[in-house]
Amino acid sequence: DVLDPERLIQCPYNKHHRIRACRFPYHLVKCRKSYPEVAKELATCPFNARHLVPQADLSDHIMKCNDKGFIEQDIVNQSSGFQREQMNAVSTWQAPPCDEDWET
């Protein structure tokens, strides 16, 4: 199950490390410091920071990344929601009553 926090994920920095999904982000930070040479060779997916792939494979990963669909759907939902709000927006602002008489 992809959502199981106890499932084991292989570390991109050291293939012998298998980390529980709930600890994976913390492990990535720690391992990046421990393996700086490997870190230089990896690129971070723009859709999910937990996806670290070899720099040469990044464009292929971006095309196939499962998380891309979630981001694209969020963008569509936000833009259509904004357009709906713009179309339905009717100004309810009214000038406050003025008690001043500038002529006097």
Side-chain angles (χ1 to χ4, degrees):
D1 181 18
V2 178
L3 299 177
D4 180 12
E6 297 300 316
R7 82 180 191 289
L8 295 176
I9 302 173
Q10 185 175 355
C11 174
Y13 298 107
N14 183 329
K15 302 299 180 193
H16 300 289
H17 292 175
R18 296 191 38 89
I19 304 92
R20 289 180 300 141
C22 61
R23 298 289 310 155
F24 194 65
Y26 306 104
H27 180 84
L28 287 177
V29 171
K30 184 183 116 189
C31 245
R32 175 172 288 183
K33 292 177 185 174
S34 299
Y35 298 95
E37 292 304 313
V38 178
K40 290 178 187 175
E41 298 172 10
L42 296 177
T44 304
C45 170
F47 306 114
N48 187 334
R50 295 178 185 189
H51 296 169
L52 296 168
V53 295
Q55 290 181 359
D57 299 340
L58 182 61
S59 59
D60 187 49
H61 173 83
I62 288 172
M63 296 299 291
K64 298 176 182 176
C65 182
N66 293 334
D67 293 331
K68 180 168 86 169
F70 297 121
I71 302 296
E72 289 173 340
Q73 189 59 48
D74 282 348
I75 292 169
V76 168
N77 290 343
Q78 286 178 355
S79 65
S80 65
F82 177 74
Q83 290 172 348
R84 247 184 273 119
E85 288 173 16
Q86 294 291 54
M87 288 173 47
N88 294 336
V90 176
S91 178
T92 57
W93 184 84
Q94 294 179 358
C98 183
D99 297 333
E100 297 177 339
D101 182 2
W102 286 48
E103 299 299 321
T104 57

